[in-house]
Amino acid sequence: MEHVEDDLLALAALGETLPDDAVAHLERCEACRDEVAAFGAVVAVGRSVTPLDTPVAPPAHVWENIQAELGPELRAPAPAPAPAPAPADTTVVPLRRSDRPGGRRRPTWILAAAAGIVIGGVGGGLLVNELGGSSETPPTVVAEVGLDPLPDWQASGSARVETDETGARTLVVSLSGETPDDGFQEVWLIDRDVTRLVSLGVLEGTEGRLPIPASVDLDDYAVVDVSAEPLDGDPTHSGDSIVRGILGT
């Protein structure tokens, strides 16, 4: 049986509309649906990247220390800093479950882009921390809240907003208790009317640090929500919240 092309499955994972024959094939082909689902996590991670994940060049003393350890015969010029990743998608989307068909395969061009964003952003920070240390001022906690379980969930947690010396904000989320058996957990900021929301990214494990876009007004988007999300390639909220709390209460 001929399967749907990889590029079309990638578009399905991104929420794009497919031709009718491709949709019909997905409805009856478990193999293609599995490929689409496996690609879903890549899209979720890619959309969680923000301008704060831009790699930064290590301070000059880091390379000086490395060269001193290597000795003159092994010294080499310091590598150039990595290019900045693309800005994150911070589009506000409705709080509803989509009925679009899910799924994603793993086309090379999308996997390469996602890997470059994640490795470039994380790797630059690790290099500075491991080799050169950090002289930054500790972050300041400006808001915090306990996270209470929603119906059908046995979980609890907490969230706090930290600001660094540049004014950049980070949401630190901790979660304990029941977690989804499959799929993943996603962290959201929702407005006080619970009609608009912004995804901050995927929560891996029980604790995570997620940058808050500068354009998000926390006086309005004060509700912290952690949801259980299936691997269906749909970027909208599943409608299944695990815990929730309101900052400043």
Side-chain angles (χ1 to χ4, degrees):
M1 177 176 59
E2 184 177 352
H3 295 287
V4 178
E5 295 180 359
D6 289 356
D7 288 349
L8 287 177
L9 292 178
L11 292 175
L14 292 167
E16 300 294 333
T17 302
L18 299 186
D20 291 342
D21 58 342
V23 173
H25 179 86
L26 280 173
E27 290 176 349
R28 63 178 183 271
C29 179
E30 183 177 359
C32 283
R33 291 198 302 272
D34 288 345
E35 290 291 334
V36 177
F39 186 56
V42 179
V43 171
V45 171
R47 286 175 172 169
S48 71
V49 176
T50 77
L52 296 178
D53 295 308
T54 302
V56 288
H61 72 266
V62 173
W63 298 115
E64 293 170 359
N65 292 341
I66 294 173
Q67 290 182 340
E69 290 291 333
L70 291 176
E73 69 279 3
L74 295 177
R75 292 177 186 173
D89 179 4
T90 58
T91 304
V92 174
V93 295
L95 180 60
R96 61 179 176 82
R97 186 187 297 273
S98 173
D99 58 359
R100 292 195 298 264
R104 63 177 76 179
R105 200 166 277 190
R106 289 177 287 276
T108 303
W109 58 274
I110 294 185
L111 284 177
I117 290 173
V118 175
I119 294 173
V122 175
L126 289 177
L127 182 61
V128 174
N129 290 337
E130 290 292 331
L131 297 178
S134 175
S135 60
E136 294 181 355
T137 304
T140 301
V141 177
V142 297
E144 53 190 334
V145 65
L147 301 177
D148 298 321
L150 274 289
D152 300 327
W153 288 98
Q154 298 295 322
S156 62
S158 64
R160 68 178 185 272
V161 178
E162 296 180 350
T163 60
D164 62 18
E165 57 188 354
T166 70
R169 301 170 300 173
T170 300
L171 185 69
V172 182
V173 177
S174 297
L175 194 62
S176 62
E178 185 181 7
T179 57
D181 294 330
D182 52 19
F184 59 96
Q185 301 168 124
E186 190 164 0
V187 179
W188 309 79
L189 288 177
I190 307 176
D191 75 316
R192 293 179 182 274
D193 295 329
V194 195
T195 58
R196 295 166 292 135
L197 73 168
V198 174
S199 171
L200 296 187
V202 175
L203 178 64
E204 298 284 356
T206 59
E207 184 167 339
R209 300 178 60 84
L210 303 138
I212 302 173
S215 59
V216 174
D217 181 1
L218 292 180
D219 288 337
D220 186 13
Y221 288 86
V223 179
V224 179
D225 179 279
V226 180
S227 66
E229 298 292 335
L231 291 172
D232 60 0
D234 188 343
T236 59
H237 195 293
S238 67
D240 185 8
S241 294
I242 303 172
V243 292
R244 187 176 292 175
I246 303 177
L247 293 168
T249 59

